[in-house]
Amino acid sequence: MSTSNAAPKTTMQRFLDGIERVGNMVPHPVVIFLILIAIVIVLSALLGAFGATVTFERINPETHAIEQASASIRSLLDADGIRFMYESFVPNFMSFTAVGLMIAAMIGAGVAEESGLVTALIHKLVHVSPRWALTYILSFVGIIASVAADAGYLVLIPLAGVAYMAVGRHPLAGLALGFAAVAGAFTVNMLIKPLDAVLVEFTNDAAALVDPNRSIGLASNIWFSAVSVLFLTVIIAFITDRMIEPRLGAYDPKLAAEGTTTGPGTTLSDTETRGLRFALFGLIGLVVVFCLLTLPSWGPLRNPDTGELIGNSPFMNGLIALIMLMFLVTGWAYGIGAGTVRTLSDVIAAIEKSIRNMGNTIFLFFVLSQFVAYFTYTNIGTVMALSLSGVLQSANVGPLPLLIGFIVVVAIIDLLLTGAIAKWAIFAPVFVPLLMKLGVEPEAVLAAYRVGDSPMNAITPLNAYFALVVGFAQKYDKSAGVGTLVSLMLPYVVWIFVLWTALFAVWKALGLPWGL
């Protein structure tokens, strides 16, 4: 990694450099997960020998009923465990949703990239945006991208790297910015998204244990979420400009992998301008089609039972299809206008090229899916979550310290269990009733969960997209590894967690409304 000698390194920069060196000594991500699989197998056998069982209440994800459940460490080396590993080898990979999302997104993104649309859009963004504003724009868009579920990981993060390189800035800083925005603030948005519907429903199920007439709506956290988006936009941009980029220094294009286009962007040519105009026409046409499918009360993409559009509806649940079509249609339209992609055969060739380039990532996801399935089977994460929540539940502290302790526990568990819905199904029946009895509204408990659940996503290797971002980084620096990404993301994780928790505490202390 290239660094600047213009000024001596600070203590923090030297510390992060040390983390990078140590982290990059670890082997290839595939080897890391193979080692982790071996550790989980051995650990499950050792812990399973003690036969510890924990009984708890949880929300059934299908019926939303509060049910009694028990969790005990399950060994992967007994007869049942061996059968599970043998029989689930292929199903583990087939049920790993990150693979399907990645392939679907890349079908459209491949056409947009091959036609030149992505490059032209970046040039246009650079042309119309002041240099200082680019960081804030990408940070804001990255946070908002969570409305499209995991698509932000696949689209926004690599685009942020390209955008930074287009203006002569370090592309790794752009990747770090994009990853921090997409992952570190995943649970908040200025818009209602499908995740909100599930979290709110689980919250209401838990609140009914104390007051059957108490319920919250989809917008119950909208004010706190909207302010959090703006707050985190500034924090992420500030960290990028003041900490990440100065540490990286000037970018040396020689570090890039073979075939990577480097160098600052140029002004738009006449053909690029014409292509963007065609892409706009394609986008308008797509919007019109989806308006016909969603806006009328009889729209087929509305919830067939409730007529709902935002929340639990086919439109929101299948938003990745809209993302794919948006890039596919606009990329093809741009190619027609710019003369780069004309026929259907050209479009198919672009898609095939993008899929071929994902071979390494698909193999990595295959190994990762096995680890996630084995770890889930053993119940190690669930038992740890229940143990920590039990300690916090028995603590004799006031509501605000208890809420802050809850945020810390959620953050710790997020290093092992990254699924927001699965964790809330366990935590909601415990903490929502507990805090309601102390006079805390369920909206505040849900807001606390949002704060604790997000920041660690940017640093845990159990995030399905962590290794993918390492691959993005290696495009611009062949020597980049796990340590490189961890050292880049650590400042974001620490400051987002501390300052966001402080915002939550101030919000609660002032008694501000959490939402509608």
Side-chain angles (χ1 to χ4, degrees), residues 195-484:
L195 177 64
D196 294 322
V198 180
L199 296 181
V200 166
E201 195 160 4
F202 282 11
T203 305
N204 286 333
D205 294 336
L209 295 173
V210 176
D211 183 357
N213 298 318
R214 186 71 165 91
S215 64
I216 63 176
L218 281 176
S220 58
N221 278 167
I222 193 65
W223 301 136
F224 178 73
S225 292
V227 172
S228 294
V229 168
L230 299 176
F231 182 72
L232 295 175
T233 294
V234 174
I235 290 174
I236 292 171
F238 184 85
I239 292 173
T240 303
D241 289 340
R242 300 301 179 90
M243 298 182 65
I244 305 302
E245 268 201 292
R247 174 174 169 261
L248 290 172
Y251 179 59
D252 182 2
K254 295 179 181 178
L255 297 173
E258 185 177 354
T260 302
T261 303
T262 60
T266 59
T267 57
L268 290 173
S269 65
D270 292 339
T271 55
E272 287 177 320
T273 301
R274 185 169 182 265
L276 286 178
R277 189 162 57 248
F278 275 53
L280 177 61
F281 295 154
L283 179 61
I284 292 174
L286 186 65
V287 169
V288 170
V289 171
F290 270 84
C291 283
L292 294 174
L293 295 173
T294 56
L295 294 184
S297 59
W298 45 262
L301 294 186
R302 288 181 173 271
N303 188 306
D305 299 322
T306 64
E308 182 181 14
L309 178 62
I310 304 299
N312 184 21
S313 69
F315 173 70
M316 295 301 293
N317 293 335
L319 206 54
I320 187 65
L322 175 59
I323 301 296
M324 180 193 72
L325 288 173
M326 183 179 68
F327 280 102
L328 180 62
V329 170
T330 56
W332 192 356
Y334 174 88
I336 294 174
T340 55
V341 174
R342 295 184 180 276
T343 66
L344 181 59
S345 296
D346 294 335
V347 173
I348 294 173
I351 295 173
E352 290 175 343
K353 180 179 178 180
S354 66
I355 299 299
R356 283 196 302 270
N357 292 336
M358 291 191 300
N360 294 337
T361 303
I362 291 175
F363 175 60
L364 172 62
F365 278 7
F366 178 81
V367 177
L368 177 57
S369 67
Q370 307 305 319
F371 170 75
V372 171
Y374 296 168
F375 186 79
T376 302
Y377 175 86
T378 63
N379 285 329
I380 293 175
T382 302
V383 171
M384 182 177 178
L386 291 168
S387 301
L388 286 176
S389 64
V391 172
L392 185 60
Q393 188 178 5
S394 61
N396 187 19
V397 295
L400 184 55
L402 186 57
L403 281 167
I404 293 176
F406 173 60
I407 291 173
V408 173
V409 167
V410 172
I412 293 172
I413 295 302
D414 194 50
L415 291 171
L416 300 175
L417 298 176
T418 57
I421 294 175
K423 287 198 301 293
W424 192 228
I426 296 173
F427 282 132
V430 175
F431 287 101
V432 172
L434 171 65
L435 286 158
M436 285 180 67
K437 293 175 182 177
L438 296 176
V440 178
E441 60 273 37
E443 296 93 325
V445 188
L446 179 56
Y449 180 73
R450 294 181 190 274
V451 175
D453 183 64
S454 294
M456 298 301 174
N457 291 334
I459 204 170
T460 173
L462 298 191
N463 182 339
Y465 299 100
F466 183 90
L468 181 64
V469 180
V470 173
F472 291 153
Q474 290 172 343
K475 178 179 179 181
Y476 300 109
D477 186 346
K478 297 185 293 292
S479 64
V482 172
T484 302

Side-chain angles (χ1 to χ4, degrees), residues 3-314:
T3 57
S4 174
N5 297 321
K9 292 185 177 182
T10 64
T11 302
M12 178 58 68
Q13 288 174 336
R14 291 196 297 271
F15 172 71
L16 294 175
D17 287 345
I19 289 178
E20 179 177 3
R21 285 193 298 272
V22 173
N24 284 344
M25 292 172 63
V26 302
H28 190 281
V30 169
V31 178
I32 293 175
F33 283 108
L34 289 174
I35 294 173
L36 288 175
I37 287 174
I39 292 174
V40 167
I41 292 174
V42 174
L43 191 61
S44 70
L46 294 176
L47 296 177
F50 291 98
T53 301
V54 180
T55 302
F56 61 101
E57 290 183 331
R58 71 174 181 185
I59 299 173
N60 188 304
E62 297 180 359
T63 65
H64 300 286
I66 305 296
E67 61 182 17
Q68 289 288 329
S70 61
S72 58
I73 303 299
R74 303 170 68 184
S75 173
L76 285 166
L77 289 181
D78 61 14
D80 290 337
I82 293 173
R83 279 193 291 266
F84 171 78
M85 288 190 291
Y86 180 76
E87 293 176 343
S88 67
F89 199 60
V90 173
N92 291 340
F93 180 61
M94 298 299 292
S95 61
F96 198 58
T97 56
V99 178
L101 288 171
M102 179 182 68
I103 293 176
M106 291 308 297
I107 288 175
V111 176
E113 183 175 1
E114 189 68 16
S115 68
L117 173 62
V118 172
T119 302
L121 284 175
I122 293 297
H123 290 167
K124 187 68 174 180
L125 175 63
V126 170
H127 180 70
V128 301
S129 304
R131 181 182 174 90
W132 66 267
L134 182 63
T135 303
Y136 291 86
I137 292 172
L138 291 173
S139 178
F140 177 77
V141 174
I143 297 174
I144 295 297
S146 66
V147 74
D150 292 350
Y153 287 100
L154 304 169
V155 178
L156 190 281
I157 295 175
L159 285 182
V162 174
Y164 259 52
M165 190 167 60
V167 295
R169 300 173 69 173
H170 206 298
L172 290 186
L175 289 178
L177 163 69
F179 193 23
V182 173
F186 188 79
T187 52
V188 292
N189 208 297
M190 287 186 166
L191 304 171
I192 303 297
K193 54 185 182 178
L195 177 64
D196 294 322
V198 180
L199 296 181
V200 166
E201 195 160 4
F202 282 11
T203 305
N204 286 333
D205 294 336
L209 295 173
V210 176
D211 183 357
N213 298 318
R214 186 71 165 91
S215 64
I216 63 176
L218 281 176
S220 58
N221 278 167
I222 193 65
W223 301 136
F224 178 73
S225 292
V227 172
S228 294
V229 168
L230 299 176
F231 182 72
L232 295 175
T233 294
V234 174
I235 290 174
I236 292 171
F238 184 85
I239 292 173
T240 303
D241 289 340
R242 300 301 179 90
M243 298 182 65
I244 305 302
E245 268 201 292
R247 174 174 169 261
L248 290 172
Y251 179 59
D252 182 2
K254 295 179 181 178
L255 297 173
E258 185 177 354
T260 302
T261 303
T262 60
T266 59
T267 57
L268 290 173
S269 65
D270 292 339
T271 55
E272 287 177 320
T273 301
R274 185 169 182 265
L276 286 178
R277 189 162 57 248
F278 275 53
L280 177 61
F281 295 154
L283 179 61
I284 292 174
L286 186 65
V287 169
V288 170
V289 171
F290 270 84
C291 283
L292 294 174
L293 295 173
T294 56
L295 294 184
S297 59
W298 45 262
L301 294 186
R302 288 181 173 271
N303 188 306
D305 299 322
T306 64
E308 182 181 14
L309 178 62
I310 304 299
N312 184 21
S313 69

